[in-house]
Amino acid sequence: MLISRALFLSLLVSFAVTTFAEIHNYEFKVQEQAARRLCRNHRIVNVNGQFPGPTINVQNGDTLFVKVTNDAPYNVTIHWHGLRQLRNPWADGPEFVTQCPIRPGGSYTYRFTITDQEGTLWWHAHSRWLRATVYGALVIRPKSGSSYPFPKPTIEFPVILGEWWDRKVISVLRQALFTGAAPNVSDAITINGQPGDLFRCSSQSTTRLSVNRGDTVLLRVINAALNQQLFFSVANHKLTVVATDAVYTKQFTTNVIMVGPGQTTDVLLTADQQPGRYYMAARAYATARNAPFDNTTATAILEYKSATSQPILPQLPLYNDTNTVTAFSNQIKSPGKVMVPTKIDENLFFTMGFGFFNCTPGPRCQGPNNTRFGASMNNVSFVLPNRVSLLQAYTQKIPNIYTTDFPPVPPLQFDYTGNVPRGLWQPVKGTKLYKLKFGSSVQIVLQDTSIFSTEDHPVHLHGYHFYIVGQGFGNFNPSTDPANFNLVDPPQRNTIDVPVGGWAAIRFVADNPGVWLMHCHIDTHLAWGFAMAFIVENGVGESETLLPPPSDLPRC
């Protein structure tokens, strides 16, 4: 395994100063294999013959070497969703942002140290729609000698929510990109890769969790779905939220949680009901007006040992129950007072949402009124390069790959959540980045827009987690809304579900140099251009400077 001297020394230092830290070596073989769901045989791309892929179990402070060999017929990368990757965007994984993809027959070793993070994260492909089946849990436990800030669970169980198409997902994506129309929705929601009892030919494979009465169960809930926010509940059992996105929270109890694509939520469940069988169930939270969505319900079974009764279904909210989502989101807070940036150096305002590209009517213009769907941030529809990654272009000073003129505010002010003038419907395509000085305090207001439809958007920032200091409905008011910001105990996340027809304000310190993607984690929207990227410049000294690239970095 080739590794640059600087990167090796950095990882070695990280390892040496972390008490009881370990080095883990993993091999991921990405391959196409046969799979049967919904009474039909398919071929899917997976890792090590597993779907979902292998769970990685590590401790805070550990170092990982994950060699990914691509035996699939498509380019692939792996993203370690929510890991800070301090000074090391080379291990972050988004295709053409921090690396060129691993070509069929090629390999690449991701090398990184987990620094001051614990809880539930996950890994997934970050190349086209391959993450539909290429994903798995990343469980980070406390360091040896440390413990959870909640009762030690008897059982820990990853619950990975996903989507299943009854055809090849790459074909679904290709058709949508060809026609310019919305892609076909999935045919099933899944829990740990299985649709559950409510689907044909599925009951024998339904995911099951066996418990004893009195057990304390930690459910690590991950939304790996490509395009859908999801409600999750367990019949007759209360859920106590203890962490989100691998950050501990003030604990609160609820009947139902909502998890956006990319997000994770850890909940404690006490097996205190009459011994029986109870469904864990997930179904869509859908907010776009008149847009089709997968309205199926996935189930898994929580079963008390020796119970044989028919499982009971939980009562899930209506598909468009925004009130339940808002009430749930408002309860998520940090456990105590946190250090929120208060002196803001970069005050950014990003509009986001759908748009349309005008085109000549024909087979490639099957969006509304003979257009093609687009998406944008501040009216820029993001275009990925294809001959070099943005990080390589930045570090090697390769010209004509990107510009640094991403607008800090919308080009025009308008009634963002009202009737948007038709002249603003068409965004501008471009590869525009925004530069941040190391150590600068950043506030971003993310504003939903109503072109085509408002929608709840899960926005993920790579390389960082951020404080959510405020959110609301309608247009953000810079004169009055900041007075209501929570600067005491706001939640810290890596993916924010921006309220439908509303806004969210986030803050972070730009303390991680590199090129970092910010995008909607609904993959349809990402493919349409809903993204931008930050360049965070180096600071002073080695500890604030980007690591050099590894010698086996894939070439375009």
Side-chain angles (χ1 to χ4, degrees):
M1 180 191 302
L2 293 173
I3 178 170
S4 72
R5 177 179 169 80
L7 181 56
F8 174 77
L9 289 174
S10 171
L11 292 173
L12 196 62
V13 168
S14 299
F15 171 66
V17 300
T18 306
T19 308
F20 303 119
E22 294 184 12
I23 294 179
H24 300 265
N25 288 281
Y26 290 89
E27 295 213 1
F28 276 16
K29 185 176 181 181
V30 182
Q31 57 196 350
E32 203 170 45
Q33 278 201 328
R36 184 172 177 82
R37 298 290 187 283
L38 308 182
C39 311
R40 293 180 61 187
N41 295 321
H42 293 273
R43 290 189 67 77
I44 65 168
V45 178
N46 63 23
V47 172
N48 294 356
Q50 301 175 43
F51 172 59
T55 295
I56 289 183
N57 285 287
V58 293
Q59 288 184 321
N60 183 7
D62 287 355
T63 294
L64 282 78
F65 293 78
V66 186
K67 182 179 180 181
V68 178
T69 301
N70 185 9
D71 285 345
Y74 313 103
N75 290 342
V76 73
T77 65
I78 300 293
H79 170 51
W80 312 93
H81 186 110
L83 274 184
R84 290 291 315 274
Q85 301 289 12
L86 293 170
R87 303 171 50 226
N88 187 23
W90 307 106
D92 191 42
E95 179 181 50
F96 294 115
V97 178
T98 59
Q99 67 168 97
C100 297
I102 306 167
R103 296 178 181 178
S107 65
Y108 176 50
T109 300
Y110 293 90
R111 310 164 177 93
F112 52 89
T113 296
I114 295 165
T115 307
D116 295 329
Q117 290 187 263
E118 53 189 63
T120 305
L121 294 174
W122 62 301
W123 56 265
H124 60 82
H126 211 300
S127 181
R128 295 192 289 176
W129 273 23
L130 288 185
R131 82 171 178 88
T133 52
V134 178
Y135 58 76
L138 172 57
V139 175
I140 310 169
R141 293 190 170 81
K143 297 176 183 178
S144 298
S146 300
S147 60
Y148 298 125
F150 47 78
K152 182 175 173 59
T154 319
I155 299 169
E156 298 186 21
F157 190 71
V159 176
I160 311 180
L161 310 177
E163 287 180 278
W164 178 268
W165 275 261
D166 212 7
R167 56 184 289 201
K168 277 195 172 183
V169 289
I170 293 297
S171 301
V172 177
L173 174 63
R174 282 174 177 160
Q175 180 184 4
L177 294 179
F178 175 80
T179 64
N184 293 338
V185 298
S186 53
D187 297 286
I189 307 298
T190 58
I191 298 178
N192 291 355
Q194 296 293 341
D197 286 3
L198 306 185
F199 291 83
R200 64 191 187 277
C201 305
S202 301
S203 59
Q204 293 302 311
S205 304
T206 298
T207 298
R208 287 173 168 79
L209 170 61
S210 184
V211 299
N212 289 309
R213 185 174 166 85
D215 281 348
T216 299
V217 183
L218 176 61
L219 299 178
R220 300 178 177 274
V221 185
I222 300 165
N223 186 348
L226 233 61
N227 297 319
Q228 193 61 67
Q229 287 89 344
L230 294 165
F231 289 115
F232 175 81
S233 185
V234 182
N236 289 18
H237 290 76
K238 296 281 191 183
L239 304 175
T240 299
V241 176
V242 294
T244 56
D245 290 1
V247 180
Y248 296 121
T249 64
K250 274 192 176 73
Q251 296 176 23
F252 66 94
T253 301
T254 178
N255 293 321
V256 64
I257 63 174
M258 196 285 287
V259 194
Q263 293 183 328
T264 70
T265 303
D266 290 359
V267 295
L268 286 178
L269 173 153
T270 302
D272 56 3
Q273 296 301 298
Q274 287 297 318
R277 302 170 78 230
Y278 300 86
Y279 277 128
M280 300 183 273
R283 78 174 183 198
Y285 167 53
T287 57
R289 291 188 305 272
N290 302 319
F293 64 94
D294 183 340
N295 63 2
T296 61
T297 300
T299 57
I301 299 175
L302 175 80
E303 52 190 11
Y304 289 67
K305 284 172 184 169
S306 77
T308 57
S309 58
Q310 189 66 22
I312 304 167
L313 265 173
Q315 188 171 354
L316 288 163
L318 296 175
Y319 299 113
N320 61 352
D321 189 348
T322 294
N323 289 339
T324 291
V325 172
T326 304
F328 170 71
S329 299
N330 287 343
Q331 291 185 83
I332 303 173
K333 293 182 172 140
S334 289
K337 183 173 171 55
V338 290
M339 297 295 291
V340 184
T342 52
K343 182 182 176 297
I344 301 301
D345 303 306
E346 294 278 0
N347 205 342
L348 308 175
F349 185 90
F350 292 175
T351 56
M352 56 187 207
F354 302 112
F356 302 106
F357 290 104
N358 296 325
C359 56
T360 305
R364 298 183 66 87
C365 302
Q366 295 180 36
N369 301 314
N370 296 313
T371 61
R372 295 178 61 81
F373 267 111
S376 67
M377 301 179 78
N378 276 358
N379 208 45
V380 179
S381 189
F382 195 68
V383 178
L384 284 171
N386 56 20
R387 59 188 181 92
V388 68
S389 75
L390 293 171
L391 182 59
Q392 289 167 291
Y394 168 58
T395 55
Q396 298 172 25
K397 297 182 171 55
I398 301 172
N400 305 319
I401 302 298
Y402 64 85
T403 58
T404 55
D405 56 347
F406 184 87
V409 295
L412 289 171
Q413 289 189 339
F414 56 96
D415 181 4
Y416 307 115
T417 53
N419 291 318
V420 181
R422 194 176 183 90
L424 297 174
W425 287 13
Q426 179 157 319
V428 176
K429 290 187 177 184
T431 310
K432 297 177 182 290
L433 279 58
Y434 191 87
K435 271 193 176 180
L436 295 171
K437 290 193 179 302
F438 186 93
S440 58
S441 294
V442 183
Q443 174 177 292
I444 309 173
V445 174
L446 298 162
Q447 173 70 61
D448 190 21
T449 57
S450 56
I451 301 168
F452 178 67
S453 173
T454 54
E455 185 169 348
D456 180 298
H457 291 286
V459 178
H460 172 47
L461 175 59
H462 289 231
Y464 286 86
H465 33 235
F466 45 75
Y467 292 108
I468 303 169
V469 296
Q471 47 192 330
F473 294 99
N475 297 338
F476 175 73
N477 187 322
S479 301
T480 59
D481 284 328
N484 298 315
F485 282 0
N486 177 5
L487 303 180
V488 178
D489 59 354
Q492 198 174 21
R493 305 204 71 152
N494 63 60
T495 306
I496 164 69
D497 247 274
V498 180
V500 53
W503 56 271
I506 66 172
R507 291 185 180 181
F508 63 95
V509 175
D511 59 358
N512 193 8
V515 177
W516 304 105
L517 188 66
M518 186 177 201
H519 66 96
C520 184
H521 219 274
I522 292 175
D523 274 28
T524 296
H525 301 175
L526 175 59
W528 287 342
F530 191 149
M532 58 82 63
F534 289 105
I535 294 174
V536 179
E537 298 177 321
N538 284 332
V540 177
E542 185 180 359
S543 66
E544 298 179 358
T545 300
L546 190 65
L547 289 167
S551 55
D552 63 339
L553 193 70
R555 297 179 179 177
C556 286

